[in-house]
């Protein structure tokens, strides 16, 4: 999955990381385990783009083996 | 077609333009806005505000005010609960200063009295001793080491060391090798921009009525974009359980993002709790400007490289935003949106937020995006000028499309940017001759749109009419759009449906009306609720006919046997099924609740013709056309209204609107006389062209439309003014003195 730039310093400088997960929640849990420095950002809130579709907070959104997964800041609007 | 199918369909009701359901109430004055609600024994609430931009509150003596006849309650920050969550605590402290006044107009105390005159006198009787502190209102100054510190220790973990303590947030987005990309460019333009904070400018001031009884139960009526969020925030700030606070949203006289949080509501509740009587608080316009949320103010550097035939090789931006005196993540949205319209091999955006002694930022249509895209689109336009390229052709050449990796990460699905650009290119406006001294500007715009938590109930009445209950205040025509989608799905006429907005005790949670989410999310929930009711109505028909439920389908507003083997029965209409509902199992209702996802991004292109008076620097807008991919336009008149409204607000932002601070850090123009919003006589008719590229994430193809239209005007107008004057403009607003100064400097 892709991380946005300012998170990379908490993931050994990598823009792309691999975790074993089949749902949004599992991604967050595995990321927090593998990269504890990401925990504060995850706690503040993140969105996730799965194959271009943006999810906010949807723990059980399923991830297919070939899905494109991009972590994004929690989306806000007006 | 299966009920949950997203296949192509021919619409019968969606896409028509019925009369708005709130029209009669609004034109006859019957509609109840925030200040229109009253209660027996009601008191008048008033708020005392800091006259200083930054000051330590040494002491507050309320004794004289409390002793006055007619004063029933005086409160300060001590009258609120201790809130742990940092974000909610910021909202609380913004409602009532705790230890420090952080900006001119920050609330420090409040009174409830039997009349406005007594309340005003009581405010004067409160003695506040301040220790005035150095202040900072400019974002660039606030980021420098040695700047006055607005709040200490608020930076999140990703802010590198070495910055002022005012820097609270950092972000970075992008992909590709930017240095290699710039090396391939024939021309590189770098330019710095500044944009002033602007206010949403809603006509209705914030207003609420709070009534808390001695058993701890409370009711709150207020103008808001989200009664459930008001309940959550107020319950936390007051230390209440959510079930004990019922919030009812009034009609709303404009919000545009600015009414997605609370300012006076917890104050009114605390006053009511102390006084034991209902308390109404209505802001003055001065208070609205000083103490509610304007946009971020920004300072942005953009660098773009281009080949001589117009291909962008690399792009980079550094964006410094200030959301006022509290931490703010709006720069995330700007840094993600800035280059979203382009298919770029190498792009990088860096964002920073810095605290300043200004009011706490509140959302304003597409928060963070207009400023970023203004800077980017200005540089693209300058490159087109320098390289003598057609600005629309260059945008088409570099346009993001299906399969493009966006500048913020995800790969785009079906999007409408190319179609929108092509529509603009084919439109007569783009080819119309310009007069002497006139110029044409254009810009792309983008917004993400999103879904969110949504809950809808749909009740089938025994007379064959239908009531839809939703939980999002109608700020842009949602009652009509929701009724249209219910009518479409149920197969009955629009005028047999009435949609209402529920209070917080009557429906499950609904997120705020923001993010261009309501027509998408509430519409989708309404379709699902209608399908739920249809299943039940098919079941009732099956019972009446004595056949299996699976052998009944719903066509054109009636249950019919599904195929010849189901039996021969005449269609049974919704009205016929409803009429016997008590005898066939009881009332019929549909319901749906979910956290919606699948909102499609939206692009727009704006064209503007203008002329600049070289003697005064005043800009006149001569012609303006908005092109936007709206997905399916459920009620086209409302979609056009959103597009026109966004353009008008953007024109104001581009030409006149700004928060002006004096050397003392106090706001100089807190009123509509000095804060100049466009009026009808300033504007031409805003033409609109709706593109309907279906959103694959919605059964009707709906996207959000409310935010994208405010994004392009800043750059479109700046590009026009730059071409008209021969000077590249780089600061907003382009008020007459600023434009004149630029013309004079050019010589």
């Amino acid at each position: 999955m892709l991380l946005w730039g300012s998170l990379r310093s908490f993931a050994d400088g990598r823009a792309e990381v691999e975790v074993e997960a089949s749902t949004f929640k599992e991604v967050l849990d595995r990321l927090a385990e593998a990269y504890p420095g990401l925990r504060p950002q995850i706690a503040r809130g993140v969105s996730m783009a799965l194959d271009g579709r943006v999810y906010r907070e949807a723990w059980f959104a399923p991830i297919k083996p070939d899905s494109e997964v991009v972590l994004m800041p929690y989306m806000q609007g007006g | 077609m299966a009920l949950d199918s997203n296949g192509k369909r021919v619409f019968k009701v969606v896409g028509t333009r019925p009369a708005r359901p709130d029209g009669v109430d609004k034109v006859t004055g019957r509609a109840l806005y925030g200040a229109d609600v009253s209660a027996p024994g009601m008191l008048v609430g008033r708020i005392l505000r800091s006259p200083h931009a930054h000051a330590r509150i040494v002491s507050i003596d309320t004794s004289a005010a409390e002793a006055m006849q007619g004063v029933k309650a005086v409160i300060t920050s001590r009258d609120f609960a201790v809130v742990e969550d940092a974000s909610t605590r910021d909202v609380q402290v913004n409602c009532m200063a705790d230890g420090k006044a952080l900006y001119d107009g920050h609330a420090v105390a409040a009174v409830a009295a039997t009349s406005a005159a007594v309340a005003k006198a009581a405010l004067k009787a409160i003695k506040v001793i301040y220790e005035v502190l150095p202040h900072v209102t400019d974002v660039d100054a606030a980021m420098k080491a040695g700047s006055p510190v607005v709040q200490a220790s608020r930076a999140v973990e990703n802010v590198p060391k070495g910055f002022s303590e005012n820097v609270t947030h950092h972000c970075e987005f992008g992909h590709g090798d930017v240095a290699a990309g710039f090396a391939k460019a024939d021309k590189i333009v770098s330019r710095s921009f500044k944009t002033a904070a602007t206010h949403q400018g809603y006509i209705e001031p914030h207003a609420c009525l709070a009534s808390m009884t001695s058993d701890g139960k409370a009711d709150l009526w207020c103008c808001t974009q989200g009664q459930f969020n008001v309940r959550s925030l107020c319950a936390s700030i007051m230390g209440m359980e959510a079930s004990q606070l019922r919030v009812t949203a009034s009609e709303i006289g404009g919000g545009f993002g600015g009414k997605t949080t609370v300012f006076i509501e917890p104050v009114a509740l605390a006053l009511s709790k102390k006084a034991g009587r209902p308390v109404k608080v209505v802001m003055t316009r001065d208070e609205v400007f000083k103490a509610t949320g304007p946009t971020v103010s920004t300072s942005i550097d953009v660098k773009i490289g281009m080949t001589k035939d117009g291909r962008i090789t690399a792009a980079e931006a550094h964006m410094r935003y200030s959301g006022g005196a509290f931490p703010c993540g709006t720069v995330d949205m700007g840094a993600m949106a800035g280059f979203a319209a382009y298919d770029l091999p190498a792009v990088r955006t860096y964002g920073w937020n810095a605290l300043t002694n200004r009011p706490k930022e509140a959302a304003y249509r597409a928060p963070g995006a207009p400023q970023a895209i203004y800077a980017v689109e200005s540089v693209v336009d300058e490159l087109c000028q320098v390289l003598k390229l057609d600005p629309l052709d260059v945008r088409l050449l570099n346009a993001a499309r299906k399969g493009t990796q966006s500048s913020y990460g995800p790969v785009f699905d079906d999007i409408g940017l190319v179609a929108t650009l092509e529509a603009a290119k084919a439109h007569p406006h783009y080819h119309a001759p310009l007069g002497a001294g006139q110029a044409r500007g254009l810009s792309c715009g983008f917004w993400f749109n999103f879904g969110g938590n949504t809950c809808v109930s749909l009740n089938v009445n025994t007379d064959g009419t239908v009531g839809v209950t939703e939980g999002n205040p109608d700020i842009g025509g949602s009652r009509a759009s929701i009724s249209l989608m219910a009518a479409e799905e149920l197969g009955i006429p629009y005028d047999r449906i009435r949609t209402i907005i529920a209070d917080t005790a009557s429906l499950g949670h609904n997120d705020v009306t923001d993010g261009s989410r309501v027509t998408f999310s509430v519409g989708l929930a309404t379709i699902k609720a209608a399908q739920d009711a249809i299943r039940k109505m098919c079941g009732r028909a099956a019972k009446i006919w004595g056949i299996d439920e699976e052998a009944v389908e719903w066509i054109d507003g009636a249950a019919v046997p599904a195929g010849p083997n189901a039996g021969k029965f005449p269609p049974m209409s919704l009205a016929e099924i409803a009429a016997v509902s008590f005898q066939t199992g009881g009332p019929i209702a549909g319901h749906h609740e979910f956290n919606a996802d699948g909102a499609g991004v939206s692009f727009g292109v704006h064209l503007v013709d203008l002329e600049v008076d070289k003697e005064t620097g005043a800009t006149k807008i001569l012609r303006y056309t908005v092109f936007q991919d709206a997905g399916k336009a459920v009620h086209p008149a409302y979609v056009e209204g959103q597009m026109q409204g966004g353009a008008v607000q953007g024109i104001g932002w581009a030409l006149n609107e700004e928060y002006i601070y004096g050397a003392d850090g106090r706001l100089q123009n807190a009123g509509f006389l000095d804060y100049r919003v466009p009026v009808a006589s300033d504007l031409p008719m805003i033409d609109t062209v709706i593109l309907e590229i279906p959103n694959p994430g919605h059964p009707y193809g709906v996207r959000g439309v409310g935010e994208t239209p405010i994004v392009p005007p800043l750059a479109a107008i700046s590009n026009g003014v730059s071409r008209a004057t021969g000077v590249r403009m780089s600061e907003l607003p382009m008020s007459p003195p600023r434009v004149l100064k630029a013309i004079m400097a050019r010589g």
Side-chain angles (χ1 to χ4, degrees), chain B residues 34-46:
Chain B
D36 291 330
V37 182
S38 297
M42 184 178 78
L43 301 172
V44 176
R46 290 283 187 274

mmCIF file with all atom_site columns, all heavy atoms in Angstrom, chain B residues 34-46:
data_model
loop_
_atom_site.group_PDB
_atom_site.id
_atom_site.type_symbol
_atom_site.label_atom_id
_atom_site.label_alt_id
_atom_site.label_comp_id
_atom_site.label_asym_id
_atom_site.label_entity_id
_atom_site.label_seq_id
_atom_site.pdbx_PDB_ins_code
_atom_site.Cartn_x
_atom_site.Cartn_y
_atom_site.Cartn_z
_atom_site.occupancy
_atom_site.B_iso_or_equiv
_atom_site.pdbx_formal_charge
_atom_site.auth_seq_id
_atom_site.auth_comp_id
_atom_site.auth_asym_id
_atom_site.auth_atom_id
_atom_site.pdbx_PDB_model_num
ATOM 1  N N   . GLY B 1 34 ? -32.797 30.409 12.784 1.00 0.00 ? 34 GLY B N   1
ATOM 2  C CA  . GLY B 1 34 ? -32.255 30.212 14.131 1.00 0.00 ? 34 GLY B CA  1
ATOM 3  C C   . GLY B 1 34 ? -32.772 31.198 15.154 1.00 0.00 ? 34 GLY B C   1
ATOM 4  O O   . GLY B 1 34 ? -33.025 30.836 16.312 1.00 0.00 ? 34 GLY B O   1
ATOM 5  N N   . ALA B 1 35 ? -32.942 32.449 14.763 1.00 0.00 ? 35 ALA B N   1
ATOM 6  C CA  . ALA B 1 35 ? -33.359 33.478 15.726 1.00 0.00 ? 35 ALA B CA  1
ATOM 7  C C   . ALA B 1 35 ? -34.872 33.542 15.896 1.00 0.00 ? 35 ALA B C   1
ATOM 8  O O   . ALA B 1 35 ? -35.364 34.326 16.704 1.00 0.00 ? 35 ALA B O   1
ATOM 9  C CB  . ALA B 1 35 ? -32.828 34.838 15.283 1.00 0.00 ? 35 ALA B CB  1
ATOM 10 N N   . ASP B 1 36 ? -35.610 32.714 15.141 1.00 0.00 ? 36 ASP B N   1
ATOM 11 C CA  . ASP B 1 36 ? -37.074 32.818 15.164 1.00 0.00 ? 36 ASP B CA  1
ATOM 12 C C   . ASP B 1 36 ? -37.734 31.976 16.248 1.00 0.00 ? 36 ASP B C   1
ATOM 13 O O   . ASP B 1 36 ? -38.937 32.069 16.459 1.00 0.00 ? 36 ASP B O   1
ATOM 14 C CB  . ASP B 1 36 ? -37.650 32.393 13.802 1.00 0.00 ? 36 ASP B CB  1
ATOM 15 C CG  . ASP B 1 36 ? -37.303 33.397 12.710 1.00 0.00 ? 36 ASP B CG  1
ATOM 16 O OD1 . ASP B 1 36 ? -37.157 34.580 13.036 1.00 0.00 ? 36 ASP B OD1 1
ATOM 17 O OD2 . ASP B 1 36 ? -37.160 32.978 11.554 1.00 0.00 ? 36 ASP B OD2 1
ATOM 18 N N   . VAL B 1 37 ? -36.971 31.140 16.913 1.00 0.00 ? 37 VAL B N   1
ATOM 19 C CA  . VAL B 1 37 ? -37.558 30.255 17.924 1.00 0.00 ? 37 VAL B CA  1
ATOM 20 C C   . VAL B 1 37 ? -37.530 30.972 19.278 1.00 0.00 ? 37 VAL B C   1
ATOM 21 O O   . VAL B 1 37 ? -36.523 31.562 19.655 1.00 0.00 ? 37 VAL B O   1
ATOM 22 C CB  . VAL B 1 37 ? -36.779 28.923 18.013 1.00 0.00 ? 37 VAL B CB  1
ATOM 23 C CG1 . VAL B 1 37 ? -37.414 27.987 19.028 1.00 0.00 ? 37 VAL B CG1 1
ATOM 24 C CG2 . VAL B 1 37 ? -36.724 28.264 16.651 1.00 0.00 ? 37 VAL B CG2 1
ATOM 25 N N   . SER B 1 38 ? -38.640 30.912 19.990 1.00 0.00 ? 38 SER B N   1
ATOM 26 C CA  . SER B 1 38 ? -38.729 31.540 21.308 1.00 0.00 ? 38 SER B CA  1
ATOM 27 C C   . SER B 1 38 ? -39.360 30.569 22.293 1.00 0.00 ? 38 SER B C   1
ATOM 28 O O   . SER B 1 38 ? -39.965 29.566 21.901 1.00 0.00 ? 38 SER B O   1
ATOM 29 C CB  . SER B 1 38 ? -39.576 32.817 21.245 1.00 0.00 ? 38 SER B CB  1
ATOM 30 O OG  . SER B 1 38 ? -38.955 33.760 20.401 1.00 0.00 ? 38 SER B OG  1
ATOM 31 N N   . ALA B 1 39 ? -39.221 30.870 23.583 1.00 0.00 ? 39 ALA B N   1
ATOM 32 C CA  . ALA B 1 39 ? -39.809 30.023 24.627 1.00 0.00 ? 39 ALA B CA  1
ATOM 33 C C   . ALA B 1 39 ? -40.254 30.904 25.777 1.00 0.00 ? 39 ALA B C   1
ATOM 34 O O   . ALA B 1 39 ? -39.671 31.972 26.023 1.00 0.00 ? 39 ALA B O   1
ATOM 35 C CB  . ALA B 1 39 ? -38.781 29.002 25.115 1.00 0.00 ? 39 ALA B CB  1
ATOM 36 N N   . PRO B 1 40 ? -41.302 30.485 26.503 1.00 0.00 ? 40 PRO B N   1
ATOM 37 C CA  . PRO B 1 40 ? -41.756 31.277 27.652 1.00 0.00 ? 40 PRO B CA  1
ATOM 38 C C   . PRO B 1 40 ? -40.636 31.446 28.676 1.00 0.00 ? 40 PRO B C   1
ATOM 39 O O   . PRO B 1 40 ? -39.895 30.507 28.951 1.00 0.00 ? 40 PRO B O   1
ATOM 40 C CB  . PRO B 1 40 ? -42.895 30.423 28.228 1.00 0.00 ? 40 PRO B CB  1
ATOM 41 C CG  . PRO B 1 40 ? -43.324 29.526 27.125 1.00 0.00 ? 40 PRO B CG  1
ATOM 42 C CD  . PRO B 1 40 ? -42.104 29.274 26.288 1.00 0.00 ? 40 PRO B CD  1
ATOM 43 N N   . GLY B 1 41 ? -40.516 32.664 29.217 1.00 0.00 ? 41 GLY B N   1
ATOM 44 C CA  . GLY B 1 41 ? -39.499 32.917 30.230 1.00 0.00 ? 41 GLY B CA  1
ATOM 45 C C   . GLY B 1 41 ? -38.095 33.041 29.690 1.00 0.00 ? 41 GLY B C   1
ATOM 46 O O   . GLY B 1 41 ? -37.116 33.024 30.450 1.00 0.00 ? 41 GLY B O   1
ATOM 47 N N   . MET B 1 42 ? -37.997 33.176 28.381 1.00 0.00 ? 42 MET B N   1
ATOM 48 C CA  . MET B 1 42 ? -36.682 33.172 27.721 1.00 0.00 ? 42 MET B CA  1
ATOM 49 C C   . MET B 1 42 ? -35.834 34.383 28.132 1.00 0.00 ? 42 MET B C   1
ATOM 50 O O   . MET B 1 42 ? -36.330 35.496 28.249 1.00 0.00 ? 42 MET B O   1
ATOM 51 C CB  . MET B 1 42 ? -36.930 33.197 26.220 1.00 0.00 ? 42 MET B CB  1
ATOM 52 C CG  . MET B 1 42 ? -35.740 33.114 25.342 1.00 0.00 ? 42 MET B CG  1
ATOM 53 S SD  . MET B 1 42 ? -36.298 33.103 23.622 1.00 0.00 ? 42 MET B SD  1
ATOM 54 C CE  . MET B 1 42 ? -36.677 34.830 23.350 1.00 0.00 ? 42 MET B CE  1
ATOM 55 N N   . LEU B 1 43 ? -34.543 34.132 28.340 1.00 0.00 ? 43 LEU B N   1
ATOM 56 C CA  . LEU B 1 43 ? -33.587 35.195 28.658 1.00 0.00 ? 43 LEU B CA  1
ATOM 57 C C   . LEU B 1 43 ? -32.750 35.542 27.424 1.00 0.00 ? 43 LEU B C   1
ATOM 58 O O   . LEU B 1 43 ? -32.678 34.753 26.483 1.00 0.00 ? 43 LEU B O   1
ATOM 59 C CB  . LEU B 1 43 ? -32.658 34.744 29.788 1.00 0.00 ? 43 LEU B CB  1
ATOM 60 C CG  . LEU B 1 43 ? -33.329 34.359 31.105 1.00 0.00 ? 43 LEU B CG  1
ATOM 61 C CD1 . LEU B 1 43 ? -32.295 33.745 32.048 1.00 0.00 ? 43 LEU B CD1 1
ATOM 62 C CD2 . LEU B 1 43 ? -34.008 35.568 31.752 1.00 0.00 ? 43 LEU B CD2 1
ATOM 63 N N   . VAL B 1 44 ? -32.132 36.699 27.497 1.00 0.00 ? 44 VAL B N   1
ATOM 64 C CA  . VAL B 1 44 ? -31.247 37.140 26.409 1.00 0.00 ? 44 VAL B CA  1
ATOM 65 C C   . VAL B 1 44 ? -29.803 36.853 26.806 1.00 0.00 ? 44 VAL B C   1
ATOM 66 O O   . VAL B 1 44 ? -29.353 37.291 27.874 1.00 0.00 ? 44 VAL B O   1
ATOM 67 C CB  . VAL B 1 44 ? -31.421 38.655 26.149 1.00 0.00 ? 44 VAL B CB  1
ATOM 68 C CG1 . VAL B 1 44 ? -30.430 39.126 25.080 1.00 0.00 ? 44 VAL B CG1 1
ATOM 69 C CG2 . VAL B 1 44 ? -32.849 38.960 25.760 1.00 0.00 ? 44 VAL B CG2 1
ATOM 70 N N   . GLY B 1 45 ? -29.097 36.119 25.975 1.00 0.00 ? 45 GLY B N   1
ATOM 71 C CA  . GLY B 1 45 ? -27.687 35.839 26.242 1.00 0.00 ? 45 GLY B CA  1
ATOM 72 C C   . GLY B 1 45 ? -26.789 36.768 25.437 1.00 0.00 ? 45 GLY B C   1
ATOM 73 O O   . GLY B 1 45 ? -27.069 37.044 24.269 1.00 0.00 ? 45 GLY B O   1
ATOM 74 N N   . ARG B 1 46 ? -25.732 37.264 26.071 1.00 0.00 ? 46 ARG B N   1
ATOM 75 C CA  . ARG B 1 46 ? -24.751 38.110 25.381 1.00 0.00 ? 46 ARG B CA  1
ATOM 76 C C   . ARG B 1 46 ? -23.351 37.682 25.809 1.00 0.00 ? 46 ARG B C   1
ATOM 77 O O   . ARG B 1 46 ? -23.148 37.205 26.926 1.00 0.00 ? 46 ARG B O   1
ATOM 78 C CB  . ARG B 1 46 ? -24.955 39.590 25.714 1.00 0.00 ? 46 ARG B CB  1
ATOM 79 C CG  . ARG B 1 46 ? -26.203 40.195 25.127 1.00 0.00 ? 46 ARG B CG  1
ATOM 80 C CD  . ARG B 1 46 ? -26.038 40.500 23.629 1.00 0.00 ? 46 ARG B CD  1
ATOM 81 N NE  . ARG B 1 46 ? -27.167 41.224 23.090 1.00 0.00 ? 46 ARG B NE  1
ATOM 82 C CZ  . ARG B 1 46 ? -28.287 40.674 22.620 1.00 0.00 ? 46 ARG B CZ  1
ATOM 83 N NH1 . ARG B 1 46 ? -28.431 39.356 22.642 1.00 0.00 ? 46 ARG B NH1 1
ATOM 84 N NH2 . ARG B 1 46 ? -29.266 41.415 22.132 1.00 0.00 ? 46 ARG B NH2 1
#
